[in-house]
Amino acid sequence: MRQSTHQALLRQIPAVDQVLLRPLIAAWVERTGRSLVVSEIQALLQEVRDGIRSGDETYVRAVGMDNLELVLDQRLRARLRPRLLPVINATGVILHTNLGRAPLSTGAQESLSAVSGHYANLEFDLATGDRSYRDKLLEGLLGEILGSEAATVVNNNAAAVFLILNTLASGKEVVVSRGELIEIGGSFRIPDILARSGAVLREVGTTNKTRIQDYEAAIGRDTALFLRVHPSNYRIRGFTERPGLSELLDLAHRHEVPVVEDIGSGLLADLSRFGITEEPIAQKSITAGVDLVCFSGDKLLGGPQAGIIAGSRKWIEPIRKNPLMRTYRVEKLIYGALEGTLAAYRAGRALEEIPVLMMISISPEELQRRSRRFVRRLKPRLPAGCRIELFKGHSVVGGGSCPGSELPTTLLALESARYRAHVIEARLRSQSPPVILRLEEDRALLDLRTVFPSQEDLLLSGIAHALE
Ligand SMILES: *Cc1c(COP(=O)(O)O)cnc(C)c1O
């Protein structure tokens, strides 16, 4: 570019005030206020000026007002898009930790929203007008469902395990089977949490076999408790042995040692007829006589992120008094959502109302019908050169639970003459709402199990748009 062309182009760049008058831009000023829009305009105009001075041809085409308006509109849209968005989970992974684990039931959403914009009796006794304590708020409801004497709620199950160990075992020994020294999701490792809690790890048995005699031999003056951990995210097959819970409880209680069980997922309903057979059920642990059981609120329980500790009052009370309890306490929104979720269990309607359990319990036949119907509706909207094919596969429970349980499902494979599978994945991810799918052996796969029926229309147009 010649110097005179530069000058001519630079003179064509409009002033900020002129840009502000354009309809799309004026609408942004209306919505978001002037200063943000002005700063975005200034940044763009400077970029165009620099581009022209450096002789970059792409900026020669950028100076027109129509183009500037469109670019600004896109940039403002991107800048103001919320960072946290609802997405369509078409992966078939039900408890997808990266997608926020359990979506809440309608009842839970209602309870949460009922208290969200108002004051609530979080720590206020409505009967007496006295102050009360949030960590006792759901003790009664949890007791009804679990059969527990006492219960409390903390931020997540990792916090629950840590608080239990810190309260009951600091400076003393915690007996754990070597087959249960697990890692859940990267940073949560039983030996590390135990060390940080101030407790001393007393490992017993071997990776695949731990016998009751191994526990017995470990009991001594310094024994604080037996910790039993559900190996949530892996299984050892073959030559294995682990004492039954009642056998362990007998031994422990003969020596007045409490047993703490971290069951992980918070399963409160029998799902064995859907193939979930290896997850411990919280009520069973309480009935068997475990002193404390702890589990997550947002795994198989199907509620908000929380950690629930239930069991005998003797052990719950000191946990409540631990000064660290304050650092793990949860706010009223979580209590609202958790109470709304638990209410479905009390009413015996968990499988009808809690999304995670509904997704687990949909039959393969129903999924096939839904998938066929979906394909029939999608086909006429698919651009030329695209194909969709149905075949059998598996959904997974996820969230570090049920590693062996694969739920039979129908998968939809998307193919396009224009785009490779990973490009299809990226294009679906950039839709609004974003659609997250599964990539397997260079195939773009959708599993309707984790798609809410109410999202199917959005999914349909998202796919049609992404494949254009
Ligand atoms: C998932 C899990 C945890 C951690 O629970 P969060 O609620 O994710 O903190 C701890 N222990 C076991 C056995 C688990 O499965």
Side-chain angles (χ1 to χ4, degrees):
M1 259 187 288
R2 293 213 328 272
Q3 195 60 31
S4 57
T5 335
H6 274 187
Q7 295 306 331
L9 281 167
L10 288 171
R11 271 196 302 276
Q12 278 181 46
I13 297 176
V16 173
D17 284 341
Q18 286 174 287
V19 183
L20 280 167
L21 294 174
R22 301 290 294 195
L24 284 178
I25 307 306
W28 278 111
V29 172
E30 194 69 11
R31 259 174 281 165
T32 68
R34 199 166 178 279
S35 65
L36 189 138
V37 179
V38 167
S39 77
E40 203 66 49
I41 297 173
Q42 284 168 336
L44 177 61
L45 297 185
Q46 189 58 45
E47 195 182 315
V48 174
R49 248 177 250 122
D50 293 346
I52 290 170
R53 286 201 189 101
S54 72
D56 186 337
E57 290 291 331
T58 52
Y59 286 95
V60 175
R61 290 186 294 276
V63 291
M65 185 64 108
D66 288 345
N67 180 64
L68 288 175
E69 185 180 11
L70 287 177
V71 172
L72 274 169
D73 185 54
Q74 274 169 14
R75 289 194 180 178
L76 284 161
R77 203 185 299 273
R79 177 153 167 197
L80 289 160
R81 198 160 99 130
R83 298 297 118 178
L84 183 64
L85 287 169
V87 303
I88 297 179
N89 174 10
T91 63
V93 181
I94 297 171
L95 294 169
H96 201 304
T97 299
N98 301 144
L99 302 182
R101 287 200 184 152
L104 295 179
S105 67
T106 308
Q109 293 173 56
E110 282 167 2
S111 311
L112 178 153
S113 105
V115 294
S116 66
H118 298 277
Y119 297 104
N121 60 325
L122 183 63
E123 298 202 328
F124 185 82
D125 187 330
L126 291 173
T128 63
D130 295 331
R131 125 157 243 170
S132 63
Y133 296 89
R134 70 179 80 193
D135 49 82
K136 290 188 178 157
L137 204 56
L138 297 184
E139 185 167 81
L141 179 54
L142 284 164
E144 275 180 61
I145 296 164
L146 301 171
S148 52
E149 182 185 24
T152 192
V153 178
V154 292
N155 188 43
N156 55 24
N157 191 31
V161 174
F162 179 81
L163 262 181
I164 293 171
L165 295 172
N166 179 265
T167 312
L168 307 185
S170 188
K172 295 204 228 150
E173 283 184 4
V174 171
V175 182
V176 193
S177 160
R178 289 197 169 89
E180 299 174 9
L181 292 172
I182 56 163
E183 170 177 311
I184 306 278
S187 55
F188 183 83
R189 295 173 143 198
I190 293 291
D192 297 350
I193 290 283
L194 213 135
R196 284 292 169 129
S197 77
V200 178
L201 172 61
R202 180 73 193 261
E203 306 175 28
V204 296
T206 63
T207 308
N208 59 327
K209 284 201 169 207
T210 301
R211 301 192 179 82
I212 194 72
Q213 294 82 354
D214 297 322
Y215 282 94
E216 188 157 24
I219 298 175
R221 260 190 320 142
D222 291 334
T223 308
L225 55 92
F226 285 179
L227 177 64
R228 188 169 161 100
V229 185
H230 176 56
S232 295
N233 53 2
Y234 81 105
R235 292 287 177 273
I236 296 181
R237 304 275 175 215
F239 212 50
T240 67
E241 193 174 326
R242 186 193 196 207
L245 185 57
S246 57
E247 198 181 359
L248 191 69
L249 285 162
D250 276 350
L251 170 71
H253 291 168
R254 255 188 284 127
H255 295 270
E256 293 178 7
V257 171
V259 175
V260 173
E261 194 181 17
D262 171 11
I263 62 164
S265 256
L267 180 59
L268 308 182
D270 185 354
L271 298 181
S272 54
R273 71 201 131 113
F274 308 111
I276 312 288
T277 51
E278 296 185 5
E279 284 294 315
I281 299 179
Q283 293 92 320
K284 285 197 180 159
S285 298
I286 297 286
T287 311
V290 164
D291 298 85
L292 288 178
V293 61
C294 63
F295 50 86
S296 297
D298 55 351
K299 291 188 186 168
L300 287 173
L301 191 149
Q305 180 191 301
I308 291 149
I309 308 174
S312 66
R313 190 166 301 285
K314 178 180 170 193
W315 304 113
I316 297 270
E317 281 307 328
I319 292 172
R320 286 200 168 114
K321 296 202 180 88
N322 186 331
L324 287 175
M325 181 77 184
R326 171 64 192 249
T327 66
Y328 296 121
R329 78 176 186 186
V330 298
E331 63 151 336
K332 64 177 178 175
L333 299 183
I334 303 300
Y335 278 104
L338 187 57
E339 181 165 26
T341 307
L342 292 172
Y345 285 95
R346 178 173 54 192
R349 296 194 41 81
L351 270 98
E352 288 79 45
E353 291 181 12
I354 294 178
V356 164
L357 301 184
M358 290 156 74
M359 288 170 183
I360 289 175
S361 58
I362 313 175
S363 70
E365 296 74 30
E366 174 61 21
L367 282 166
Q368 188 179 48
R369 270 195 298 276
R370 256 183 81 189
S371 305
R372 284 188 177 150
R373 216 177 318 134
F374 187 81
V375 168
R376 266 200 306 279
R377 291 180 59 208
L378 179 62
K379 271 197 174 146
R381 297 186 55 181
L382 279 181
C386 294
R387 262 164 36 107
I388 182 154
E389 216 184 314
L390 289 180
F391 62 97
K392 299 218 173 301
H394 289 98
S395 319
V396 291
V397 178
S401 66
C402 320
S405 313
E406 292 185 320
L407 308 167
T409 193
T410 299
L411 296 171
L412 296 80
L414 288 177
E415 280 172 41
S416 153
R418 272 182 84 185
Y419 306 119
R420 299 270 309 273
H422 69 275
V423 180
I424 296 178
E425 186 273 335
R427 290 180 65 91
L428 273 162
R429 187 158 30 83
S430 65
Q431 298 302 309
S432 174
V435 176
I436 316 299
L437 49 69
R438 202 195 301 178
L439 275 179
E440 235 169 58
E441 292 161 8
D442 208 25
R443 277 194 308 187
L445 303 177
L446 304 166
D447 184 345
L448 292 186
R449 187 191 290 273
T450 48
V451 176
F452 289 88
S454 61
Q455 293 176 316
E456 277 187 18
D457 287 349
L458 283 169
L459 178 60
L460 212 67
S461 40
I463 295 172
H465 204 222
L467 293 177
E468 261 163 27

